[in-house]
Each structure stands twice: as C-alpha cells, then as structure tokens.
Amino acid sequence: MKRKTEREIIVLALYSIEMSGNALEETVTYIMKQMKIKEDPTEYIFESIRGVLDNVDKIDEVISQNLENYKINRLNYVDLAIIRFATYELMFRPDLHPAIIINEAVELSKKYSEIDDFKTSAFNNKLLDKIRVSLESGR
C-alpha cells in the first residue's frame, strides 16, 4: 500500500474516531472497505493512529502554541485530524522528511476541506511550517 493512501486512511480514521468514538480496528476496516481497498491495514496505520491518540494532549499543546489569533477548538474536525497527524509525524517520526509530511497534509487539506479559495490549505501549510520551525528550534 502506498504511504499516501495510508495517510489518507489515518486522517479519516482520526476524524471518525473523534466524531463517533468507535473502536480503532473497526473504524480502519470500515474506511478501507469504503475506499475499496482489499489489502490488510498496515502496522504503520495502526501505529500512527495509536501514536496520535496516545499523545493528543502534547500534540494539541504544540498546535495551540503555534496558532496566531486562533484557538484550536475553532479548527474544523477534518483539519484538526490532518494537523494532529502531521504534527505527530513532525514530533515523533524523525525518519520522515518534514517537507513530505507537510506536503501530504496540504494535499489532504485540498482533498477534504478546501472550498475553492485555497485558504484552508494555505492556513494549514503555514501552521505546519510554523510547527516544524518551532520543533526544530526546540521550543
């Protein structure tokens, strides 16, 4: 399975779990069925979702510290799932290049939360780049 597809499944699962409280395994299975993916879910998918859920307070703190004139609770749930997952990868996956993490998050923003003015993807890109810089500087 391509990493891009795995990331999409992860974000959709995080969104679904946030909204419904359903179990992780059931949620991933349902999403993959809806996406018509016949492969088994990868360990990367489960590891990433658990990583976000286990560290959500730390992740949300980093996100909140980097928001300007905005509160985390004002983010829509899809964007929140995308930003949480990208922030998790920036914080806990040094083996992944930050530019790839941010680019994939922006692409997911364009697919799932963009209206037509590209303000959402630009906002998410700017926020994630600010998070990247703050993490690299050790803030």
Side-chain angles (χ1 to χ4, degrees):
M1 185 178 316
K2 291 183 180 181
R3 185 59 54 100
K4 184 178 205 121
T5 303
E6 290 174 316
R7 283 191 168 107
E8 186 171 358
I9 293 165
I10 292 163
V11 165
L12 293 174
L14 288 168
Y15 168 78
S16 180
I17 291 167
E18 178 81 19
M19 297 306 295
S20 69
N22 289 340
L24 185 147
E25 289 81 7
E26 293 170 8
T27 301
V28 170
T29 301
Y30 176 79
I31 289 167
M32 291 180 69
K33 183 178 177 182
Q34 295 302 307
M35 293 175 71
K36 298 179 177 21
I37 297 171
K38 300 198 184 305
E39 300 170 58
D40 289 334
T42 62
E43 186 54 37
Y44 174 77
I45 292 170
F46 289 118
E47 179 184 298
S48 296
I49 296 168
R50 285 186 195 106
V52 172
L53 296 175
D54 290 347
N55 294 286
V56 73
D57 291 338
K58 291 177 194 170
I59 293 166
D60 284 358
E61 183 178 328
V62 169
I63 294 168
S64 293
Q65 289 171 351
N66 287 281
L67 283 167
E68 293 178 27
N69 303 317
Y70 218 80
K71 300 278 187 215
I72 195 167
N73 62 354
R74 286 189 58 209
L75 296 172
N76 76 52
Y77 288 111
V78 174
D79 287 324
L80 184 58
I82 293 167
I83 293 166
R84 277 180 174 161
F85 176 53
T87 302
Y88 162 77
E89 286 194 318
L90 290 168
M91 291 174 70
F92 298 104
R93 295 297 307 262
D95 57 313
L96 301 174
H97 196 281
I100 293 171
I101 294 168
I102 294 170
N103 183 61
E104 291 286 331
V106 170
E107 291 302 314
L108 287 167
S109 296
K110 288 177 183 175
K111 183 172 183 175
Y112 287 104
S113 66
E114 196 64 69
I115 297 170
D116 273 335
D117 58 6
F118 299 102
K119 288 182 180 179
T120 302
S121 57
F123 176 88
N124 291 351
N125 188 23
K126 182 179 176 183
L127 173 58
L128 288 169
D129 193 54
K130 189 172 180 194
I131 289 169
R132 176 194 60 80
V133 169
S134 74
L135 291 170
E136 287 175 357
S137 68
R139 264 192 341 133

